[in-house]
Amino acid sequence: MTEGQVLGFIGVGRMGAPMSGRLMDAGYSLCVYDTNPEATKPLVARGAKLAKSPAEVASASEIVFLSLPTPPIVQAVVLGPNGVNQGNAVKTVIDLSTTGPSAAKIIAQALGERQVAWIDAPVSGGVPGAEKGTLAVMVSGPKATADAIDPLLKVFGKTFYTGEKPGLAQVAKLGNNLLAAAAIVLSSEAVAMGVKAGLDPKVMIDIINAGSGRNSATQDKFPKAILTGTFDYGFATALSYKDVRLCIDEGEALGVPMIAGAVIRQMLAVTNAKFGPESDFTSIAKVIEEWAHVEMRSKTT
């Protein structure tokens, strides 16, 4: 890796934009593509080359990053018409998306037939982590390739190599995202109970965060997006729902009972149906609020 090397980046939306921006900050040149022309404008204004298709990105770059919303989209972008696999320069594809292990295995095999390496590198930490470079980056794929691109991934945050098997890092990410959604569900139930009994929700959150019940929801999502009533943490309900569905399916396929996980999946199904796929996944708390006939808003803010 050298500064000034042209890297490909496909999908420069809510997460892809700050991650691609950090690569440019680190001195790398980019060739970018997104189905939304508006998304690419800030990067092009900074000097990134705009491609007309994933294939064009893969013909301009030996290393191509993907940051895309769903497994079918990832598969279409890589293997479909004018896909990455049609490029004549690409040697390594790095998937920053939450694709799930099944899609990862299919794509890795197809690319391997063309001697193109596939690296799973799903990330956790949300938009704030992408902006600050503090993401957890879970990595699986050929060890030599993973070692070679590790300096690039460290631009985004801390890397965790999980093994060579395609999709292994995706399993880790699915488990993480199940827990992230579960934390919102259970914390919402506990805080709603406190509010209905007469507690200030901020006081209850402060108590939980000083005690054994603290979690990612009480430490981060409640103060930023639930107690404020903004419900704008930055992760769409549809994406959380997709991740949890993939997690439950994978767990059951492996013979692991996902009893509590199935409840979380249903809570996201309700949230998705009631508030829409574009709603923020902290809207889970709004479902609990409606059922409990309370609002979890701080009386002191």
Side-chain angles (χ1 to χ4, degrees):
M1 306 306 148
T2 59
E3 289 191 2
Q5 177 179 352
V6 177
L7 303 171
F9 210 107
I10 300 172
V12 290
R14 188 171 284 174
M15 288 292 288
M19 286 192 284
S20 55
R22 288 193 63 82
L23 288 171
M24 295 191 79
D25 291 341
Y28 296 99
S29 299
L30 294 187
C31 178
V32 300
Y33 173 77
D34 196 288
T35 54
N36 177 12
E38 293 298 316
T40 60
K41 284 184 177 180
L43 296 166
V44 172
R46 292 185 57 184
K49 177 185 176 182
L50 179 62
K52 296 179 181 178
S53 69
E56 188 172 323
V57 174
S59 292
S61 318
E62 292 187 359
I63 298 173
V64 175
F65 290 90
L66 309 175
S67 181
L68 300 165
T70 67
I73 290 175
V74 172
Q75 195 162 335
V77 164
V78 178
L79 303 180
N82 291 316
V84 171
N85 68 331
Q86 301 298 313
N88 56 30
V90 63
K91 294 181 179 178
T92 303
V93 180
I94 304 170
D95 186 23
L96 303 165
S97 324
T98 304
T99 305
S102 296
K105 291 171 186 174
I106 292 169
I107 300 169
Q109 181 177 348
L111 289 179
E113 293 171 359
R114 297 187 64 244
Q115 283 71 56
V116 175
W118 171 263
I119 295 288
D120 296 294
V123 298
S124 179
V127 175
E131 293 172 343
K132 297 173 185 176
T134 57
L135 295 169
V137 187
M138 294 147 268
V139 184
S140 58
K143 185 64 165 61
T145 305
D147 288 343
I149 55 97
D150 191 60
L152 293 175
L153 297 179
K154 279 186 164 61
V155 171
F156 308 138
K158 186 175 182 180
T159 57
F160 298 86
Y161 183 69
T162 63
E164 298 215 354
K165 185 179 177 182
L168 203 56
Q170 294 289 342
V171 174
K173 176 63 189 298
L174 295 181
N176 176 85
N177 282 20
L178 170 63
L179 291 173
I184 299 175
V185 173
L186 290 173
S187 298
S188 295
E189 291 183 349
V191 175
M193 177 186 69
V195 171
K196 197 149 192 182
L199 282 162
D200 184 319
K202 184 179 184 304
V203 173
M204 190 163 183
I205 288 293
D206 289 344
I207 292 168
I208 292 169
N209 285 336
S212 59
R214 64 186 179 277
N215 59 68
S216 61
T218 59
Q219 291 180 311
D220 194 20
K221 298 171 183 72
F222 264 81
K224 290 180 180 177
I226 297 173
L227 296 183
T228 60
T230 55
F231 298 98
D232 60 351
Y233 185 75
F235 190 52
T237 296
L239 295 180
S240 181
Y241 184 28
K242 175 263 297 183
D243 293 350
V244 171
R245 290 200 316 269
L246 287 171
C247 183
I248 304 310
D249 290 346
E250 183 64 19
E252 291 178 344
L254 290 169
V256 178
M258 305 294 280
I259 308 303
V263 174
I264 305 306
R265 176 175 60 186
Q266 290 306 311
M267 284 300 301
L268 279 161
V270 171
T271 306
N272 192 67
K274 188 168 185 63
F275 298 107
E278 296 303 318
S279 66
D280 194 84
F281 83 141
T282 55
S283 297
I284 292 169
K286 288 201 283 188
V287 174
I288 303 297
E289 287 181 332
E290 287 196 11
W291 290 349
H293 304 291
V294 298
E295 280 194 350
M296 294 178 279
R297 308 289 179 271
S298 175
K299 299 173 185 177
T300 59
T301 58

